[in-house]
Amino acid sequence: MLPRLVIHLGSTYTRAFLFSSNGQKYHLIETQKELALKNPSLSVEQFKAKYLGRFEEVQVISSLKYSSGGFLEEEVFAEASELFSKLGDILVIDIGSQKTAFASGRFGKVRIGEINLGLGVSAGKILHQASVEDLATLIPYAVDLINLQNYLGKKILYPGFIPFAPEELAIEVSHAAFILAEVKKVVATKFLRNESRFILLTGEVFGSAPSLSLALFPFLQGWQPTGVTQVFVDPGGFFYSFYLLNDFEGMLSQFKKVGTLISLTHTREKREVLGDCSLDLGLNEKLKFEILAGELIRVPFREGGSGTLEISLKKEVFLGKNFAAKQEIDGGELGIVIDARGRPLPKPPLSKEGREKVRDWLEALGGKILC
Amino acid sequence: MLTYKRISIIPQTTYTVTRRIPGQGQIFCRVGQKVKAYEIIGVGEKKMGFKTLNLADLLKVKPRLIKNYLCKNIGSIVYQDEVIAKKKEFWGLREVKIVSPIDGVLRHLDEKNGSLQLEYLPKKVKIPAGVSGKIIEVEQSIVRIETKASQICGVIGAGKLKEGMLLILGRPDLPLLAKDIKAEMNGKILAGGSLLDKEVLYKCLAMGVRGVLCGGINFAHYQELTGPRGGLEDVGLGVLILEGFGNLSINQLTYEALQKINGQPVLLYGARSQLIVPHLSEQNPLASYPAKPALTSKGLLNFGILRLHQKVKLLTLNHLGLSGTIKKLNQEPTELPSGVKTNTVLVELEDGREVEVGGWDLEIVE
């Protein structure tokens, strides 16, 4: 096993991962990200020069067949998703600059797809799917619609732009939510499935989010998961590079574990009792409480912790097709999140009241966008 | 650290201008010949359209019989007031004559409705070189002239290649106003203003303006203007946006360059985001700007390595369009006001303020 350099050429960023080996296992030593040059060979040479003498093998992942030793991004995505599906019923979403790739399946049988919506080069395309007012509804402050559109235009010209102002971050988060809503439509119609147990969110918008709450929020709003799901966030594009090492454990260890998300489907009025919940998180006593319609609750539960969820629901309140009333749950950085807002989620109005609602939801997840 | 880099002015480059000789014309130049801008390189024919006369109605005869009354064959040339059809009435005592209203060609007779189509004689048009340079190719009706030129580069644009005299309009830091677009600007390429809106664009189209250069445009207007084909769409005039989306002043460097070439003939290629300034003589008005390689080459050209004391333009919402100088490059990731952590740089703005921004939240300006 020779020290290895993995270079992932994206449409906006190029990432390099330097791995050393002790003869049995690879260890990630260093990772770097640069803007992708128009000429991919130059990007590769640039990283090779940077790590000169520290690697003996190079592997390149790119959207076009780069060279005889190169790997196609689409193929790596499919195979890495298969590897991830060792966990069970999975969903992987990678929001890129130009497109969004997704994979869904279980235990090695995975279907993949992609849509031409992204947060960079194709940023303007979201306006064919959603109006600018729609995008503004998920922003927790009064936004100038012209600025919002101009921000999308700026991302087309400078896809590597990092949200500097809180307003810019809020636009990005809302944009991601609407992309996820579009992905869900495709998955629901083509794959005929919309419930997965293990979710992996990868891409710059999730990986660079200031907090996991802000990574989870667009997923909750856009995808609107149902049932009991465990959510992981890939903070630095490790999904692709660790697949090339065929290192499932290594891959999982790099992901941030958000925690367990419990989402109920109902159409009840706000504050109506939906059922009872009991959480055994290994404390002195069980946590027991009523779940009220419209609530979004976060219960901190340490990462690595394992507990039991018991839930009894009233009529016409559902947890999902394949989810038992009593089951094991895992902790994470956010812990346990119970989403009792119903499905489909109510669309916040484009008003002060709507903005307050979005702010409340964000705060319930433990996150906020300072403005 | 690599970041975005913009080259606003390329003072010395070569550009190939294509001239088409319309219709069945004549070309007066040959490959290798040097030409001046005012020299006529060919004469072409411009089609002027058709005129239709309903002879059956005018002569009061059945359409299928009308050919019997024609005095000229189809395909022959006729001149204004020349008789093209006649009919005798009252046992030959009176003659009704139809004369040609134009100089033209009898193109087609429709025996179903008795109408005669007359084509105007094509008008001869002289084609000047328009630029000084060397003829590098002469095809059937195409002449290609290689000329020395300067180039002003924008960020986005739209429209096909348009030619005209450059006219500076308004201030570089205030939006263009529709009321400032006047009839005498017909055929001109206008430059100025910080924002180009729909109203101004419509007024430009109405006044026959060939192109507009401006600091910024709102993304929604740009999308409306270009449609799904983006900048390649022929929008009726050339549009070149020099700074980006939003209300953005034209940067000082570019504006000074535009002032130097005010009144000169220019070529605006919106789809390529370029303004080409052919050199009228050996003197290059933009010679004082540092020489840069052509933008078409691949590689590091649209990116540059961030260094201390570099001039940069900020892209962040709070400082959009402001320029400054790199004062410090931070080695460790720093948290931005949004909470996102990234490699940052300290920029000293022109007004003396200092701001720390992400290394990819700016562009190097040269």
Side-chain angles (χ1 to χ4, degrees):
Chain A
M1 291 171 86
L2 302 166
R4 196 182 286 189
L5 179 66
V6 177
I7 299 171
H8 185 176
L9 299 165
S11 58
T12 295
Y13 300 112
T14 299
R15 293 171 192 274
F17 304 86
L18 182 67
F19 294 96
S20 73
S21 141
N22 59 7
Q24 286 163 345
K25 207 168 165 39
Y26 279 107
H27 297 280
L28 183 68
I29 307 174
E30 204 175 316
T31 167
Q32 261 204 4
K33 186 171 77 174
E34 279 286 8
L35 288 179
L37 301 175
K38 281 182 186 166
N39 183 346
S41 314
L42 273 178
S43 281
V44 172
E45 292 311 316
Q46 194 188 17
F47 278 116
K48 277 186 179 174
K50 198 170 267 179
Y51 293 116
L52 193 67
R54 297 174 68 189
F55 64 92
E56 288 184 40
E57 276 182 323
V58 183
Q59 289 177 316
V60 179
I61 307 167
S62 74
S63 56
L64 296 168
K65 197 85 179 169
Y66 168 72
S67 66
S68 54
F71 294 85
L72 267 179
E73 190 181 56
E74 193 185 322
E75 287 172 11
V76 175
F77 179 76
E79 286 165 26
S81 300
E82 279 175 20
L83 189 65
F84 184 65
S85 75
K86 272 186 179 181
L87 285 177
D89 212 333
I90 60 128
L91 170 73
V92 181
I93 299 174
D94 179 5
I95 302 188
S97 167
Q98 202 161 22
K99 61 185 171 59
T100 297
F102 47 89
S104 172
R106 56 194 301 185
F107 303 118
K109 286 191 177 173
V110 169
R111 295 181 70 180
I112 62 161
E114 63 178 41
I115 55 171
N116 285 326
L117 291 176
L119 290 167
V121 183
S122 60
K125 288 186 180 166
I126 195 67
L127 295 175
H128 301 304
Q129 313 295 337
S131 69
V132 63
E133 288 84 3
D134 286 339
L135 284 175
T137 57
L138 287 185
I139 296 177
Y141 64 91
V143 61
D144 181 328
L145 297 183
I146 290 173
N147 276 348
L148 196 161
Q149 285 165 304
N150 287 343
Y151 180 79
L152 299 179
K154 178 166 71 183
K155 287 287 291 193
I156 299 172
L157 298 175
Y158 308 97
F161 180 88
I162 304 283
F164 173 84
E167 291 91 331
E168 291 169 324
L169 176 69
I171 296 171
E172 202 109 328
V173 166
S174 172
H175 188 174
F178 279 90
I179 290 177
L180 287 163
E182 291 304 315
V183 173
K184 174 131 189 189
K185 283 183 205 165
V186 177
V187 173
T189 51
K190 284 197 174 170
F191 294 5
L192 301 173
R193 52 185 292 130
N194 53 17
E195 283 176 354
S196 302
R197 186 74 203 237
F198 302 95
I199 317 280
L200 172 66
L201 305 173
T202 179
E204 198 60 30
V205 69
F206 303 116
S208 298
S211 66
L212 281 183
S213 320
L214 286 171
L216 182 65
F217 183 72
F219 176 70
L220 262 183
Q221 294 301 127
W223 183 270
Q224 302 190 14
T226 53
V228 182
T229 47
Q230 253 193 75
V231 183
F232 301 85
V233 167
D234 179 358
F238 300 110
F239 180 62
Y240 293 87
S241 57
F242 274 84
Y243 161 71
L244 290 189
L245 307 176
N246 198 20
D247 184 358
F248 176 63
E249 294 302 326
M251 185 195 272
L252 275 190
S253 70
Q254 294 295 330
F255 296 159
K256 287 184 179 172
K257 290 177 185 67
V258 177
T260 301
L261 187 59
I262 301 160
S263 312
L264 304 178
T265 305
H266 68 88
T267 51
R268 298 286 179 95
E269 289 294 311
K270 212 174 168 183
R271 309 296 299 167
E272 267 189 61
V273 177
L274 302 176
D276 297 306
C277 181
S278 164
L279 287 171
D280 184 356
L281 305 179
L283 305 170
N284 293 338
E285 52 185 297
K286 287 181 182 177
L287 271 175
K288 287 183 180 175
F289 54 91
E290 281 183 332
I291 305 173
L292 302 178
E295 278 185 338
L296 183 63
I297 313 160
R298 184 171 77 93
V299 181
F301 185 29
R302 68 186 158 77
E303 195 182 327
S306 189
T308 313
L309 162 78
E310 268 181 85
I311 198 160
S312 72
L313 298 171
K314 300 237 161 138
K315 261 188 179 177
E316 292 173 356
V317 181
F318 310 101
L319 188 57
K321 279 181 208 162
N322 306 316
F323 301 102
K326 184 175 181 182
Q327 56 185 290
E328 295 285 305
I329 51 167
D330 292 315
E333 274 188 47
L334 288 189
I336 317 288
V337 174
I338 301 170
D339 185 358
R341 295 174 297 168
R343 296 288 184 270
L345 275 176
K347 189 178 156 188
L350 189 54
S351 63
K352 192 180 169 208
E353 189 196 5
R355 292 192 285 275
E356 275 169 10
K357 194 176 256 183
V358 175
R359 216 171 296 146
D360 288 346
W361 289 342
L362 272 167
E363 278 172 13
L365 293 177
K368 57 184 166 187
I369 298 175
L370 298 164
C371 283
Chain B
M1 183 185 191
L2 269 179
T3 194
Y4 298 104
K5 175 175 163 181
R6 184 136 71 86
I7 295 163
S8 315
I9 297 157
I10 301 171
Q12 186 74 53
T13 182
T14 52
Y15 188 78
T16 304
V17 177
T18 303
R19 299 278 175 228
R20 285 171 206 283
I21 313 294
Q24 289 185 336
Q26 250 188 307
I27 293 172
F28 304 145
C29 56
R30 58 182 198 286
V31 174
Q33 186 184 332
K34 285 190 175 172
V35 288
K36 297 273 180 213
Y38 55 80
E39 270 181 56
I40 304 298
I41 54 165
V43 174
E45 287 181 340
K46 196 175 173 191
K47 291 196 172 180
M48 304 303 289
F50 294 88
K51 189 162 185 80
T52 305
L53 296 175
N54 194 313
L55 293 181
D57 280 357
L58 292 167
L59 294 175
K60 296 188 177 61
V61 294
K62 288 181 178 167
R64 66 184 166 83
L65 299 174
I66 199 72
K67 63 182 173 195
N68 301 328
Y69 298 92
L70 274 186
C71 301
K72 290 249 175 185
N73 293 329
I74 295 299
S76 31
I77 293 175
V78 289
Y79 296 97
Q80 195 168 2
D81 298 332
E82 194 179 339
V83 178
I84 50 174
K86 61 185 176 186
K87 185 188 139 196
K88 286 190 174 163
E89 289 180 344
F90 296 109
W91 305 279
L93 295 173
R94 198 174 83 184
E95 200 171 44
V96 181
K97 290 177 183 170
I98 308 296
V99 295
S100 172
I102 59 164
D103 292 344
V105 179
L106 301 188
R107 194 48 79 198
H108 177 68
L109 180 71
D110 188 339
E111 291 182 40
K112 280 185 185 161
N113 59 17
S115 64
L116 176 71
Q117 198 179 44
L118 286 156
E119 185 181 356
Y120 283 88
L121 281 180
K123 197 176 162 185
K124 294 246 186 255
V125 276
K126 291 176 182 172
I127 308 293
V131 293
S132 300
K134 195 169 129 188
I135 308 287
I136 54 163
E137 197 181 336
V138 177
E139 268 178 39
Q140 284 172 333
S141 60
I142 290 173
V143 176
R144 290 200 169 89
I145 311 161
E146 190 181 78
T147 180
K148 285 181 181 169
S150 303
Q151 198 174 305
I152 291 180
C153 310
V155 177
I156 37 162
K160 291 185 173 178
L161 186 71
K162 303 282 174 185
E163 285 184 55
M165 295 287 182
L166 188 79
L167 176 70
I168 293 195
L169 179 71
R171 286 174 48 145
D173 55 347
L174 289 176
L176 282 178
L177 298 174
K179 68 177 173 62
D180 296 333
I181 314 295
K182 306 269 166 51
E184 59 266 27
M185 291 168 188
N186 183 308
K188 298 269 194 301
I189 288 178
L190 309 179
S194 58
L195 182 69
L196 181 64
D197 69 12
K198 241 181 351 187
E199 218 182 312
V200 174
L201 273 169
Y202 289 152
K203 188 80 181 284
C204 285
L205 280 167
M207 294 298 164
V209 170
R210 295 251 173 91
V212 199
L213 282 85
C214 196
I217 188 169
N218 282 329
F219 183 58
H221 287 164
Y222 180 72
Q223 278 205 315
E224 269 179 56
L225 175 74
T226 56
R229 292 187 70 213
L232 298 171
E233 188 73 47
D234 182 11
V235 293
L237 80 169
V239 174
L240 181 63
I241 301 301
L242 297 163
E243 305 298 331
F245 293 114
N247 183 358
L248 298 163
S249 303
I250 300 175
N251 73 72
Q252 207 185 335
L253 190 82
T254 310
Y255 194 69
E256 279 170 10
L258 289 169
Q259 282 175 315
K260 283 183 182 168
I261 54 165
N262 193 16
Q264 274 199 28
V266 291
L267 293 96
L268 174 57
Y269 206 158
R272 289 190 190 164
S273 308
Q274 296 172 341
L275 179 81
I276 297 124
V277 189
H279 299 166
L280 298 178
S281 61
E282 287 306 307
Q283 265 197 331
N284 173 5
L286 305 181
S288 57
Y289 293 88
K292 292 285 179 319
L295 271 179
T296 45
S297 60
K298 283 182 175 178
L300 277 160
L301 210 56
N302 293 331
F303 300 94
I305 296 167
L306 271 176
R307 297 181 208 285
L308 283 176
H309 314 301
Q310 254 168 348
K311 273 214 143 203
V312 292
K313 192 183 91 177
L314 302 190
L315 304 169
T316 54
L317 188 68
N318 320 37
H319 320 95
L320 197 58
L322 296 182
S323 300
T325 312
I326 302 271
K327 212 175 164 189
K328 191 180 164 196
L329 298 161
N330 292 325
Q331 300 304 320
E332 291 299 313
T334 312
E335 195 173 299
L336 300 175
S338 63
V340 179
K341 277 187 183 162
T342 187
N343 289 332
T344 57
V345 292
L346 187 69
V347 177
E348 185 177 1
L349 298 175
E350 281 169 354
D351 60 10
R353 280 184 298 155
E354 286 184 355
V355 57
E356 192 173 1
V357 297
W360 296 325
D361 294 348
L362 46 79
E363 63 178 3
I364 301 165
V365 181
E366 286 194 350

